[in-house]
Amino acid sequence: MRKVAIVMGSDSDLKTMQAAADMLEKFQVPYRLRILSAHRTPDACRAFALSAREEGYGAIIAGAGKAAHLAGALAASTTLPVIGVPIKSSTLDGLDALLSTVQMPTGMPVATVAIDGAANAALLAVQMLAIEDGALAEKYAAYRQETTRKVLEKDEALGKEAAHNA
């Protein structure tokens, strides 16, 4: 199974990006956490992206706040799918990071999830890896069934409570 890189621009982003790591663990997808900055360590960032495929990665999740150029910087140096996680880390409540991550030029795509949406980034990476991995596809299908079941149970419980209160 290919692994997933979870890259963040600063150690202050770990609190948000931990949700991606937790979700990948749930699916038993191997991953590695990295701190690389598009602005402070551009050479290391580029070197990692250039070698990621050969190192066995199948997708890169990149989380950053403020200017949030990390996902785009990684995408510029790899043909692997890059999933951007805009992080709420400034007075603009993450809108700056969202716009910086989602507004990529044609030919340089970055899939972008919600502000602080690291868990969804991991789920998207799982879906990507599951295209070629039947066992992982089955795990993901079971996960989706479980989330559906939980919502329906909550709906039923609410219906019973509402009927009781009527």
Side-chain angles (χ1 to χ4, degrees), residues 82-139:
V82 176
I83 305 163
V85 179
I87 295 179
K88 182 178 177 179
S89 64
S90 72
T91 57
L92 297 177
D93 289 331
L95 183 59
D96 50 349
L98 174 64
L99 295 175
S100 294
T101 305
V102 76
Q103 292 290 57
M104 293 298 298
T106 300
M108 200 57 51
V110 169
T112 307
V113 296
I115 296 168
D116 290 346
N120 266 354
L123 288 170
L124 184 54
V126 166
Q127 287 179 297
M128 290 171 178
L129 296 178
I131 291 169
E132 298 292 326
D133 185 328
L136 187 57
E138 288 177 20
K139 286 181 189 178

Short mmCIF file of all heavy atoms in Angstrom, two decimals, residues 82-139:
data_model
loop_
_atom_site.label_atom_id
_atom_site.label_comp_id
_atom_site.label_asym_id
_atom_site.label_seq_id
_atom_site.Cartn_x
_atom_site.Cartn_y
_atom_site.Cartn_z
N VAL A 82 -2.26 16.35 -4.56
CA VAL A 82 -2.02 17.15 -3.36
C VAL A 82 -3.38 17.64 -2.86
O VAL A 82 -4.17 18.18 -3.64
CB VAL A 82 -1.08 18.33 -3.65
CG1 VAL A 82 -0.92 19.22 -2.40
CG2 VAL A 82 0.28 17.83 -4.13
N ILE A 83 -3.60 17.45 -1.58
CA ILE A 83 -4.85 17.87 -0.94
C ILE A 83 -4.51 18.96 0.05
O ILE A 83 -3.74 18.74 0.99
CB ILE A 83 -5.52 16.69 -0.22
CG1 ILE A 83 -5.73 15.52 -1.18
CG2 ILE A 83 -6.84 17.14 0.42
CD1 ILE A 83 -6.00 14.19 -0.50
N GLY A 84 -5.05 20.14 -0.16
CA GLY A 84 -4.75 21.28 0.70
C GLY A 84 -5.74 21.41 1.84
O GLY A 84 -6.94 21.25 1.65
N VAL A 85 -5.21 21.69 3.02
CA VAL A 85 -6.02 21.96 4.20
C VAL A 85 -5.74 23.39 4.64
O VAL A 85 -4.69 23.66 5.23
CB VAL A 85 -5.70 20.99 5.37
CG1 VAL A 85 -6.57 21.31 6.59
CG2 VAL A 85 -5.86 19.54 4.94
N PRO A 86 -6.63 24.33 4.35
CA PRO A 86 -6.44 25.69 4.85
C PRO A 86 -6.65 25.70 6.37
O PRO A 86 -7.62 25.12 6.86
CB PRO A 86 -7.52 26.50 4.14
CG PRO A 86 -8.34 25.55 3.34
CD PRO A 86 -7.83 24.17 3.55
N ILE A 87 -5.73 26.32 7.07
CA ILE A 87 -5.79 26.31 8.53
C ILE A 87 -6.13 27.70 9.06
O ILE A 87 -5.55 28.70 8.64
CB ILE A 87 -4.46 25.80 9.13
CG1 ILE A 87 -4.27 24.33 8.71
CG2 ILE A 87 -4.45 25.94 10.64
CD1 ILE A 87 -2.99 23.70 9.20
N LYS A 88 -7.07 27.71 9.97
CA LYS A 88 -7.49 28.95 10.62
C LYS A 88 -6.38 29.37 11.59
O LYS A 88 -6.23 28.78 12.65
CB LYS A 88 -8.81 28.71 11.37
CG LYS A 88 -9.37 29.92 12.05
CD LYS A 88 -10.69 29.57 12.72
CE LYS A 88 -11.23 30.74 13.47
NZ LYS A 88 -12.53 30.41 14.10
N SER A 89 -5.62 30.37 11.20
CA SER A 89 -4.49 30.76 12.05
C SER A 89 -4.25 32.27 12.08
O SER A 89 -3.19 32.71 12.48
CB SER A 89 -3.21 30.06 11.58
OG SER A 89 -2.87 30.49 10.27
N SER A 90 -5.23 33.03 11.64
CA SER A 90 -5.02 34.48 11.60
C SER A 90 -6.31 35.21 11.91
O SER A 90 -7.35 34.60 12.11
CB SER A 90 -4.50 34.90 10.22
OG SER A 90 -5.54 34.81 9.27
N THR A 91 -6.22 36.48 11.89
CA THR A 91 -7.40 37.30 12.17
C THR A 91 -8.45 37.21 11.08
O THR A 91 -9.57 37.65 11.27
CB THR A 91 -6.99 38.79 12.34
OG1 THR A 91 -6.30 39.20 11.15
CG2 THR A 91 -6.10 38.97 13.55
N LEU A 92 -8.12 36.60 9.96
CA LEU A 92 -9.09 36.43 8.88
C LEU A 92 -9.83 35.11 8.98
O LEU A 92 -10.53 34.71 8.05
CB LEU A 92 -8.40 36.56 7.52
CG LEU A 92 -7.76 37.94 7.24
CD1 LEU A 92 -7.05 37.93 5.91
CD2 LEU A 92 -8.82 39.02 7.27
N ASP A 93 -9.68 34.40 10.11
CA ASP A 93 -10.40 33.15 10.38
C ASP A 93 -10.19 32.07 9.33
O ASP A 93 -11.07 31.25 9.09
CB ASP A 93 -11.90 33.40 10.57
CG ASP A 93 -12.21 34.12 11.87
OD1 ASP A 93 -11.45 33.96 12.84
OD2 ASP A 93 -13.22 34.85 11.91
N GLY A 94 -9.06 32.05 8.67
CA GLY A 94 -8.75 31.01 7.70
C GLY A 94 -9.18 31.32 6.28
O GLY A 94 -8.85 30.59 5.36
N LEU A 95 -9.92 32.42 6.09
CA LEU A 95 -10.35 32.77 4.73
C LEU A 95 -9.14 33.05 3.84
O LEU A 95 -9.12 32.65 2.67
CB LEU A 95 -11.28 33.99 4.75
CG LEU A 95 -11.85 34.41 3.40
CD1 LEU A 95 -12.64 33.27 2.76
CD2 LEU A 95 -12.73 35.64 3.55
N ASP A 96 -8.11 33.69 4.39
CA ASP A 96 -6.89 33.94 3.63
C ASP A 96 -6.25 32.62 3.18
O ASP A 96 -5.88 32.45 2.02
CB ASP A 96 -5.90 34.78 4.43
CG ASP A 96 -5.66 34.26 5.84
OD1 ASP A 96 -6.40 33.36 6.31
OD2 ASP A 96 -4.74 34.77 6.49
N ALA A 97 -6.18 31.64 4.08
CA ALA A 97 -5.59 30.35 3.75
C ALA A 97 -6.46 29.60 2.73
O ALA A 97 -5.94 28.97 1.81
CB ALA A 97 -5.41 29.52 5.01
N LEU A 98 -7.78 29.68 2.90
CA LEU A 98 -8.68 29.02 1.96
C LEU A 98 -8.48 29.56 0.55
O LEU A 98 -8.30 28.79 -0.41
CB LEU A 98 -10.13 29.22 2.39
CG LEU A 98 -11.18 28.70 1.40
CD1 LEU A 98 -11.08 27.19 1.24
CD2 LEU A 98 -12.57 29.10 1.86
N LEU A 99 -8.48 30.87 0.41
CA LEU A 99 -8.33 31.46 -0.93
C LEU A 99 -6.96 31.17 -1.52
O LEU A 99 -6.84 30.89 -2.72
CB LEU A 99 -8.59 32.96 -0.87
CG LEU A 99 -10.03 33.35 -0.50
CD1 LEU A 99 -10.15 34.86 -0.33
CD2 LEU A 99 -11.02 32.82 -1.51
N SER A 100 -5.92 31.18 -0.70
CA SER A 100 -4.57 30.88 -1.19
C SER A 100 -4.45 29.43 -1.65
O SER A 100 -3.71 29.13 -2.57
CB SER A 100 -3.53 31.16 -0.11
OG SER A 100 -3.48 32.53 0.19
N THR A 101 -5.18 28.55 -1.00
CA THR A 101 -5.08 27.12 -1.32
C THR A 101 -5.94 26.75 -2.53
O THR A 101 -5.52 25.99 -3.39
CB THR A 101 -5.50 26.27 -0.10
OG1 THR A 101 -4.71 26.66 1.03
CG2 THR A 101 -5.29 24.79 -0.37
N VAL A 102 -7.12 27.31 -2.60
CA VAL A 102 -8.06 26.90 -3.63
C VAL A 102 -7.81 27.59 -4.98
O VAL A 102 -8.13 27.03 -6.03
CB VAL A 102 -9.52 27.13 -3.15
CG1 VAL A 102 -9.92 28.58 -3.20
CG2 VAL A 102 -10.49 26.27 -3.92
N GLN A 103 -7.21 28.74 -4.99
CA GLN A 103 -7.05 29.52 -6.24
C GLN A 103 -5.74 29.17 -6.94
O GLN A 103 -4.85 29.98 -7.07
CB GLN A 103 -7.10 31.03 -5.93
CG GLN A 103 -8.46 31.50 -5.49
CD GLN A 103 -9.49 31.48 -6.60
OE1 GLN A 103 -9.73 30.45 -7.22
NE2 GLN A 103 -10.10 32.62 -6.87
N MET A 104 -5.67 27.94 -7.44
CA MET A 104 -4.47 27.50 -8.16
C MET A 104 -4.65 27.73 -9.66
O MET A 104 -5.77 27.65 -10.18
CB MET A 104 -4.23 26.02 -7.88
CG MET A 104 -3.86 25.73 -6.44
SD MET A 104 -2.33 26.54 -5.94
CE MET A 104 -1.17 25.77 -7.04
N PRO A 105 -3.54 28.00 -10.35
CA PRO A 105 -3.65 28.23 -11.80
C PRO A 105 -3.94 26.93 -12.54
O PRO A 105 -3.62 25.83 -12.07
CB PRO A 105 -2.26 28.77 -12.17
CG PRO A 105 -1.35 28.26 -11.11
CD PRO A 105 -2.18 28.16 -9.86
N THR A 106 -4.52 27.05 -13.72
CA THR A 106 -4.80 25.90 -14.57
C THR A 106 -3.52 25.10 -14.79
O THR A 106 -2.46 25.66 -15.03
CB THR A 106 -5.36 26.37 -15.92
OG1 THR A 106 -6.57 27.10 -15.67
CG2 THR A 106 -5.64 25.20 -16.86
N GLY A 107 -3.65 23.79 -14.67
CA GLY A 107 -2.50 22.91 -14.86
C GLY A 107 -1.79 22.57 -13.56
O GLY A 107 -0.89 21.73 -13.56
N MET A 108 -2.18 23.20 -12.47
CA MET A 108 -1.52 22.97 -11.18
C MET A 108 -2.60 22.74 -10.12
O MET A 108 -2.77 23.53 -9.20
CB MET A 108 -0.67 24.20 -10.81
CG MET A 108 0.39 23.92 -9.79
SD MET A 108 1.55 22.63 -10.24
CE MET A 108 2.09 23.10 -11.86
N PRO A 109 -3.36 21.64 -10.23
CA PRO A 109 -4.49 21.45 -9.32
C PRO A 109 -4.06 21.10 -7.89
O PRO A 109 -3.08 20.40 -7.69
CB PRO A 109 -5.25 20.27 -9.94
CG PRO A 109 -4.20 19.50 -10.66
CD PRO A 109 -3.23 20.53 -11.18
N VAL A 110 -4.83 21.60 -6.96
CA VAL A 110 -4.75 21.21 -5.56
C VAL A 110 -6.19 20.99 -5.11
O VAL A 110 -7.01 21.89 -5.19
CB VAL A 110 -4.08 22.31 -4.68
CG1 VAL A 110 -4.25 22.00 -3.20
CG2 VAL A 110 -2.61 22.46 -5.03
N ALA A 111 -6.50 19.76 -4.68
CA ALA A 111 -7.82 19.51 -4.11
C ALA A 111 -7.84 20.22 -2.76
O ALA A 111 -6.87 20.13 -2.00
CB ALA A 111 -8.04 18.01 -3.93
N THR A 112 -8.90 20.93 -2.46
CA THR A 112 -8.95 21.71 -1.24
C THR A 112 -10.18 21.33 -0.44
O THR A 112 -11.28 21.26 -0.97
CB THR A 112 -8.98 23.23 -1.56
OG1 THR A 112 -7.88 23.53 -2.42
CG2 THR A 112 -8.89 24.05 -0.30
N VAL A 113 -9.96 21.08 0.85
CA VAL A 113 -11.06 20.77 1.75
C VAL A 113 -11.38 22.01 2.58
O VAL A 113 -10.76 23.06 2.42
CB VAL A 113 -10.71 19.56 2.65
CG1 VAL A 113 -10.53 18.29 1.80
CG2 VAL A 113 -9.49 19.82 3.51
N ALA A 114 -12.34 21.88 3.46
CA ALA A 114 -12.78 23.01 4.29
C ALA A 114 -11.67 23.51 5.21
O ALA A 114 -10.70 22.79 5.49
CB ALA A 114 -13.98 22.58 5.13
N ILE A 115 -11.83 24.72 5.69
CA ILE A 115 -10.91 25.27 6.68
C ILE A 115 -10.87 24.31 7.86
O ILE A 115 -11.91 23.91 8.39
CB ILE A 115 -11.36 26.68 7.12
CG1 ILE A 115 -11.29 27.64 5.93
CG2 ILE A 115 -10.50 27.19 8.29
CD1 ILE A 115 -11.96 28.98 6.17
N ASP A 116 -9.66 23.92 8.26
CA ASP A 116 -9.41 22.95 9.34
C ASP A 116 -9.99 21.57 9.05
O ASP A 116 -10.21 20.77 9.95
CB ASP A 116 -9.94 23.47 10.68
CG ASP A 116 -9.14 24.65 11.22
OD1 ASP A 116 -8.03 24.92 10.72
OD2 ASP A 116 -9.64 25.31 12.16
N GLY A 117 -10.19 21.24 7.79
CA GLY A 117 -10.82 19.98 7.40
C GLY A 117 -9.83 18.84 7.18
O GLY A 117 -9.94 18.11 6.19
N ALA A 118 -8.91 18.65 8.09
CA ALA A 118 -7.87 17.63 7.92
C ALA A 118 -8.43 16.21 7.85
O ALA A 118 -7.91 15.37 7.11
CB ALA A 118 -6.83 17.75 9.04
N ALA A 119 -9.47 15.92 8.62
CA ALA A 119 -10.06 14.57 8.57
C ALA A 119 -10.60 14.28 7.17
O ALA A 119 -10.39 13.18 6.63
CB ALA A 119 -11.16 14.43 9.62
N ASN A 120 -11.28 15.25 6.56
CA ASN A 120 -11.77 15.04 5.20
C ASN A 120 -10.63 14.91 4.20
O ASN A 120 -10.75 14.19 3.21
CB ASN A 120 -12.72 16.17 4.78
CG ASN A 120 -14.17 15.83 5.05
OD1 ASN A 120 -14.50 14.72 5.45
ND2 ASN A 120 -15.04 16.79 4.83
N ALA A 121 -9.54 15.60 4.43
CA ALA A 121 -8.38 15.46 3.55
C ALA A 121 -7.88 14.01 3.59
O ALA A 121 -7.56 13.43 2.55
CB ALA A 121 -7.27 16.43 3.96
N ALA A 122 -7.84 13.44 4.77
CA ALA A 122 -7.40 12.04 4.89
C ALA A 122 -8.39 11.11 4.21
O ALA A 122 -7.99 10.16 3.53
CB ALA A 122 -7.24 11.67 6.37
N LEU A 123 -9.69 11.38 4.36
CA LEU A 123 -10.68 10.54 3.70
C LEU A 123 -10.56 10.62 2.18
O LEU A 123 -10.71 9.62 1.48
CB LEU A 123 -12.09 10.93 4.15
CG LEU A 123 -12.43 10.53 5.59
CD1 LEU A 123 -13.73 11.18 6.02
CD2 LEU A 123 -12.49 9.02 5.73
N LEU A 124 -10.27 11.81 1.67
CA LEU A 124 -10.06 11.95 0.23
C LEU A 124 -8.82 11.18 -0.21
O LEU A 124 -8.84 10.50 -1.25
CB LEU A 124 -9.94 13.44 -0.14
CG LEU A 124 -9.82 13.77 -1.62
CD1 LEU A 124 -10.95 13.17 -2.45
CD2 LEU A 124 -9.78 15.28 -1.81
N ALA A 125 -7.77 11.22 0.57
CA ALA A 125 -6.56 10.44 0.26
C ALA A 125 -6.88 8.94 0.28
O ALA A 125 -6.42 8.19 -0.59
CB ALA A 125 -5.45 10.76 1.25
N VAL A 126 -7.67 8.50 1.24
CA VAL A 126 -8.08 7.09 1.30
C VAL A 126 -8.84 6.73 0.03
O VAL A 126 -8.59 5.68 -0.58
CB VAL A 126 -8.93 6.82 2.57
CG1 VAL A 126 -9.63 5.47 2.48
CG2 VAL A 126 -8.05 6.89 3.82
N GLN A 127 -9.77 7.57 -0.39
CA GLN A 127 -10.52 7.29 -1.63
C GLN A 127 -9.57 7.18 -2.83
O GLN A 127 -9.75 6.32 -3.69
CB GLN A 127 -11.53 8.39 -1.90
CG GLN A 127 -12.73 8.36 -0.98
CD GLN A 127 -13.68 9.50 -1.30
OE1 GLN A 127 -13.33 10.66 -1.17
NE2 GLN A 127 -14.89 9.15 -1.71
N MET A 128 -8.58 8.05 -2.89
CA MET A 128 -7.63 8.02 -4.00
C MET A 128 -6.83 6.72 -4.00
O MET A 128 -6.67 6.08 -5.03
CB MET A 128 -6.68 9.21 -3.92
CG MET A 128 -7.34 10.53 -4.22
SD MET A 128 -6.20 11.89 -3.85
CE MET A 128 -7.19 13.29 -4.34
N LEU A 129 -6.33 6.33 -2.83
CA LEU A 129 -5.56 5.09 -2.74
C LEU A 129 -6.43 3.87 -3.00
O LEU A 129 -5.96 2.86 -3.53
CB LEU A 129 -4.89 4.98 -1.37
CG LEU A 129 -3.86 6.05 -1.02
CD1 LEU A 129 -3.33 5.85 0.39
CD2 LEU A 129 -2.71 6.08 -2.03
N ALA A 130 -7.71 3.96 -2.64
CA ALA A 130 -8.63 2.84 -2.80
C ALA A 130 -8.97 2.55 -4.26
O ALA A 130 -9.49 1.47 -4.56
CB ALA A 130 -9.91 3.09 -2.00
N ILE A 131 -8.66 3.44 -5.15
CA ILE A 131 -8.89 3.19 -6.58
C ILE A 131 -8.14 1.94 -7.03
O ILE A 131 -8.65 1.15 -7.81
CB ILE A 131 -8.46 4.41 -7.44
CG1 ILE A 131 -9.41 5.58 -7.18
CG2 ILE A 131 -8.41 4.06 -8.92
CD1 ILE A 131 -8.94 6.89 -7.77
N GLU A 132 -6.95 1.74 -6.49
CA GLU A 132 -6.11 0.59 -6.85
C GLU A 132 -6.01 -0.46 -5.75
O GLU A 132 -5.29 -1.43 -5.91
CB GLU A 132 -4.70 1.08 -7.21
CG GLU A 132 -4.65 2.01 -8.40
CD GLU A 132 -5.01 1.32 -9.70
OE1 GLU A 132 -4.68 0.12 -9.86
OE2 GLU A 132 -5.63 1.96 -10.56
N ASP A 133 -6.69 -0.25 -4.63
CA ASP A 133 -6.56 -1.15 -3.48
C ASP A 133 -7.95 -1.60 -3.04
O ASP A 133 -8.66 -0.88 -2.33
CB ASP A 133 -5.83 -0.42 -2.35
CG ASP A 133 -5.53 -1.29 -1.15
OD1 ASP A 133 -6.31 -2.22 -0.85
OD2 ASP A 133 -4.52 -1.03 -0.48
N GLY A 134 -8.34 -2.79 -3.46
CA GLY A 134 -9.67 -3.30 -3.18
C GLY A 134 -9.98 -3.44 -1.70
O GLY A 134 -11.09 -3.15 -1.26
N ALA A 135 -9.00 -3.87 -0.91
CA ALA A 135 -9.23 -4.03 0.52
C ALA A 135 -9.50 -2.67 1.17
O ALA A 135 -10.38 -2.55 2.03
CB ALA A 135 -8.03 -4.70 1.18
N LEU A 136 -8.77 -1.66 0.75
CA LEU A 136 -8.98 -0.31 1.29
C LEU A 136 -10.34 0.22 0.83
O LEU A 136 -11.05 0.88 1.61
CB LEU A 136 -7.86 0.63 0.85
CG LEU A 136 -7.85 2.02 1.46
CD1 LEU A 136 -7.81 1.97 2.99
CD2 LEU A 136 -6.66 2.83 0.92
N ALA A 137 -10.73 -0.09 -0.40
CA ALA A 137 -12.05 0.33 -0.89
C ALA A 137 -13.16 -0.29 -0.04
O ALA A 137 -14.15 0.39 0.28
CB ALA A 137 -12.22 -0.07 -2.36
N GLU A 138 -12.99 -1.54 0.35
CA GLU A 138 -13.97 -2.19 1.22
C GLU A 138 -14.03 -1.52 2.59
O GLU A 138 -15.12 -1.32 3.15
CB GLU A 138 -13.66 -3.67 1.36
CG GLU A 138 -13.94 -4.47 0.11
CD GLU A 138 -13.56 -5.93 0.24
OE1 GLU A 138 -13.43 -6.43 1.38
OE2 GLU A 138 -13.40 -6.58 -0.80
N LYS A 139 -12.88 -1.17 3.14
CA LYS A 139 -12.84 -0.47 4.44
C LYS A 139 -13.55 0.88 4.34
O LYS A 139 -14.29 1.27 5.24
CB LYS A 139 -11.40 -0.24 4.90
CG LYS A 139 -10.69 -1.45 5.40
CD LYS A 139 -9.29 -1.06 5.84
CE LYS A 139 -8.43 -2.25 6.16
NZ LYS A 139 -7.06 -1.86 6.53
#
